Amino acid sequence: MTRDKGFEIFLATVPGLEPVLCEEVRGKGFKRPRAVPGGVVITGGWPEVWRANLWVRGAGRVLARIDAFHVVHLAQLDSRARRVPWGSVLRADVPFRVEATCAGSRIYHSGAAAERIEGAIRETLGAPHSAEAGVVVRARIEQDLCTISVDTSGELLHKRGYKEAVNAAPMRETMASLFLRQCGYDGGEPVFDPMCGSGTFVIEAAEIAARLNPGRGRHFAFEQLATFDAEAWERMRAVRSGRVPAVRFHGSDRDAGAVAMSRANAARAGVGAWTEFRQGTISEAVPPEGPPGLVIVNPPYGTRIGERGKLSALYQALGQTLMRRFAGWRVGIIAAEPRLAQATGLPFLPAGAPVPHGGLRVSLFQTGPLA
């Protein structure tokens, strides 16, 4: 694998949202993206790896696939791993670790597989192994095919670098951005979240409208690889595509602490000038001045015994408020229980397939413009 040769780059996402991520990746100018289980695959070089980490909102991590080969036993894996061109990607002076998974293969012990690959890297490259290393080599052995990748992101990409405070059940920024996209949001309309928590939907919407790169405020694991070109990366980061949004983005929450948290997070993200947060209950929600846009909300899911009855009243109040005051606005609600979503009485379009979130499976329920 060289700097100039193209290779597969895998952008991981939540299962079920692959087509949405593929649409985003295509819109960002990456060539021939294709949705596959668990993510999107593109072909490119290291500049495309850096760009994917810097630009793409919906990906959880970006993996550079550096080799693939068939193996049926550990000795074969050991031998084949020693022929991987580790020195063209990893640095001998930077610690690494290996994570392996096995599925439907004659090699079934992931820990033993990881140990063989660790040994091959140590003995051929001389790089130190550390359980806390920021550089992670990932091996997936499926149907006897071993795919070797390097995790170029490091910390998961939903960690944008601005959010110091979160509420009890946060939605990851990556998932929030994909739900916004599913609702048809493109940055040109106002967004309102009446249960904003730590402000995730509102801040993501404002960043999209302002054309701010999601990875602008953080570091990535690829900065510790042998393929890293610091000057080229700084030139890429220095390109400014921002604009002043034509509309504003609003959130409210009954909890004063959540409102303060959202304001602080928005300020750190650099979108404080275009966002407004205020304290208020669902029944007090009113549309902000200006044109109609998108209401998007992630209410409590009611996973504990006895909660569902109380939450039905909350969902019902939400639906009544939106129907009564938000004519012309579209609505997107994330819910784990269809019956709770239906308690709003809103005229939902057919819901998409459930996707995993926080140990549950949630669906996006959305409407057209309310009458």
Side-chain angles (χ1 to χ4, degrees):
M1 207 169 136
T2 69
R3 289 172 190 260
D4 301 321
K5 184 179 178 182
F7 50 89
E8 278 197 349
I9 303 164
F10 178 73
L11 289 74
T13 191
V14 177
L17 292 178
E18 298 95 341
V20 191
L21 177 61
C22 193
E23 179 186 321
E24 180 194 358
V25 171
R26 185 177 293 109
K28 294 284 174 67
F30 293 92
K31 295 179 181 177
R32 295 184 297 278
R34 70 180 193 276
V36 298
V40 170
V41 172
I42 60 174
T43 300
W46 289 100
E48 283 70 38
V49 168
W50 307 340
R51 210 170 278 124
N53 279 285
L54 180 64
W55 287 359
V56 178
R57 290 195 164 273
R61 67 171 84 249
V62 177
L63 305 181
R65 291 177 168 171
I66 63 174
D67 210 341
F69 44 82
H70 283 88
V71 288
V72 295
H73 52 74
L74 288 171
Q76 187 182 24
L77 174 63
D78 186 293
S79 173
R80 187 61 185 80
R82 291 170 187 273
R83 302 206 299 272
V84 175
W86 299 112
S88 67
V89 181
L90 305 181
R91 285 170 43 182
D93 62 330
V94 174
F96 74 95
R97 58 191 169 96
V98 178
E99 295 184 2
T101 59
C102 303
S105 299
R106 278 168 278 189
I107 295 177
Y108 58 86
H109 193 299
S110 58
E115 287 177 5
R116 296 301 178 103
I117 298 169
E118 286 169 11
I121 297 172
R122 281 199 314 269
E123 293 170 27
T124 60
L125 180 64
H129 171 265
S130 169
E132 290 79 39
V135 171
V136 183
V137 174
R138 300 188 183 275
R140 179 169 178 80
I141 306 176
E142 186 171 13
Q143 303 298 324
D144 296 330
L145 176 66
C146 179
T147 303
I148 303 286
S149 303
V150 174
D151 186 338
T152 69
S153 302
E155 281 198 302
L156 289 171
L157 293 177
H158 75 273
K159 296 185 177 181
R160 309 288 202 218
Y162 66 81
K163 187 175 282 188
E164 293 182 6
V166 298
N167 57 343
M171 173 164 288
R172 289 181 172 179
E173 287 74 3
T174 45
M175 180 179 274
S177 72
L178 294 176
F179 281 143
L180 283 164
R181 177 173 285 274
Q182 272 193 301
C183 288
Y185 176 73
D186 62 4
E189 62 186 333
V191 169
F192 174 54
D193 182 352
M195 301 178 74
C196 65
S198 55
T200 301
F201 276 122
V202 180
I203 295 169
E204 282 295 304
E207 287 196 7
I208 292 167
R211 292 182 179 169
L212 297 175
N213 290 325
R216 67 194 182 281
R218 54 164 284 169
H219 290 284
F220 302 95
F222 64 70
E223 296 173 49
Q224 301 180 66
L225 299 180
T227 53
F228 183 56
D229 183 331
E231 290 185 4
W233 169 237
E234 284 308 314
R235 287 195 299 271
M236 185 181 293
R237 279 169 54 97
V239 174
R240 296 286 183 259
S241 59
R243 66 178 178 185
V244 176
V247 293
R248 297 178 68 82
F249 309 92
H250 305 262
S252 64
D253 201 287
R254 64 181 299 171
D255 179 56
V259 172
M261 187 190 312
S262 295
R263 287 175 180 154
N265 289 334
R268 279 188 291 269
V271 296
W274 310 307
T275 57
E276 293 182 6
F277 298 94
R278 67 178 185 84
Q279 187 177 3
T281 64
I282 285 294
S283 59
E284 295 170 334
V286 293
E289 291 184 8
L294 172 68
V295 176
I296 189 163
V297 57
N298 181 36
Y301 299 145
T303 55
R304 297 188 185 92
I305 295 173
E307 279 188 343
R308 192 169 296 163
K310 296 177 183 178
L311 286 181
S312 290
L314 174 67
Y315 280 71
Q316 187 176 9
L318 172 63
Q320 289 174 346
T321 298
L322 295 177
M323 289 291 289
R324 188 166 64 248
R325 300 177 186 157
F326 284 77
W329 288 69
R330 305 189 321 284
V331 178
I333 294 177
I334 291 85
E337 174 56 65
R339 281 178 291 182
L340 284 174
Q342 298 301 333
T344 62
L346 292 168
F348 291 120
L349 304 170
V355 299
H357 169 53
L360 300 170
R361 296 187 68 78
V362 300
S363 297
L364 172 65
F365 295 84
Q366 48 180 320
T367 74
L370 298 179

